[in-house]
Amino acid sequence: GPPAVSAPDAKAGLFGGGEEKDPIEPFSIFGTVYKQYVIDILDDSGRAIVGRAKGFTAEACVDLLTAEQQRYSVPNEGGFVERSPDGPGEKVVRTRFCEKRVVKGSISKTEQMMPACVPACRSACFQATQAYDGRQLKSKGFGFTEKELGKVKGTCSARCEKECIKPGKSYDFQIPFRRGDGL
């Protein structure tokens, strides 16, 4: 079975701090930014594209995985496939959060993309970090401090926004957090 969770004072906390801190596992943020230099106009169902308008669409997708989860996972669209260490039993875990935002009109400068990039990135990073924190709290009994939560969300969003304003259609990014990353 899984190894027993060590007592809080058995390891130093991931983000520095004293022995009273709970050990937070190393984890990584996985993100993708998809961009379209048009806005899709959807039908009433919200599924079929019935037209296109001038503008810019940014979609940010973010997931956080522990180092252990990464060992048995392969990134794929819409989530991660968990590979069991002791058998073929694969299940798809959909923990990826995607957020889409648009800017209407003709886009000719990088800063005109920001009103789509910033809220899409912030929202996806915020939701993915909160969800990860909730899962850790449930399985390990402790999560991030408020300060760590803010730092992880901020680091994720800053990197996502930077990828979003680059030219091109899509960019993947990965940010590993290890012990001593100064959060």
Side-chain angles (χ1 to χ4, degrees), residues 19-164:
E19 291 197 41
E20 79 289 344
K21 247 175 100 34
D22 290 313
I24 294 173
E25 292 180 76
F27 65 95
S28 290
I29 296 170
F30 290 87
T32 308
V33 182
Y34 303 97
K35 297 177 294 178
Q36 274 182 288
Y37 295 87
V38 294
I39 298 171
D40 290 333
I41 298 164
L42 304 175
D43 68 359
D44 292 338
S45 76
R47 286 189 291 272
I49 297 168
V50 293
R52 294 209 156 83
K54 248 187 201 180
F56 172 75
T57 304
E59 183 177 20
C61 294
V62 178
D63 196 9
L64 275 71
L65 290 178
T66 63
E68 188 186 9
Q69 287 170 322
Q70 290 168 52
R71 204 172 306 143
Y72 305 118
S73 306
V74 287
N76 75 335
E77 294 299 324
F80 287 82
V81 179
E82 280 208 357
R83 294 194 186 283
S84 160
D86 46 22
E90 292 194 2
K91 61 177 181 174
V92 177
V93 183
R94 297 188 173 273
T95 54
R96 227 168 172 221
F97 290 86
C98 293
E99 284 293 324
K100 209 178 257 195
R101 298 290 187 276
V102 301
V103 181
K104 291 178 177 159
S106 129
I107 305 295
S108 58
K109 294 190 201 73
T110 302
E111 47 281 17
Q112 292 173 306
M113 297 152 95
M114 294 308 270
C117 290
V118 173
C121 285
R122 282 194 185 155
S123 184
C125 286
F126 183 92
Q127 291 179 73
T129 305
Q130 291 289 139
Y132 176 83
D133 191 44
R135 291 196 304 273
Q136 289 297 98
L137 207 53
K138 209 167 141 183
S139 68
K140 301 279 192 276
F142 53 85
F144 295 129
T145 63
E146 279 304 306
K147 191 180 164 197
E148 289 164 352
L149 208 52
K151 178 83 188 254
V152 173
K153 287 175 187 171
T155 303
C156 173
S157 193
R159 176 69 184 276
C160 175
E161 290 163 30
K162 195 176 132 188
E163 300 300 330
C164 186

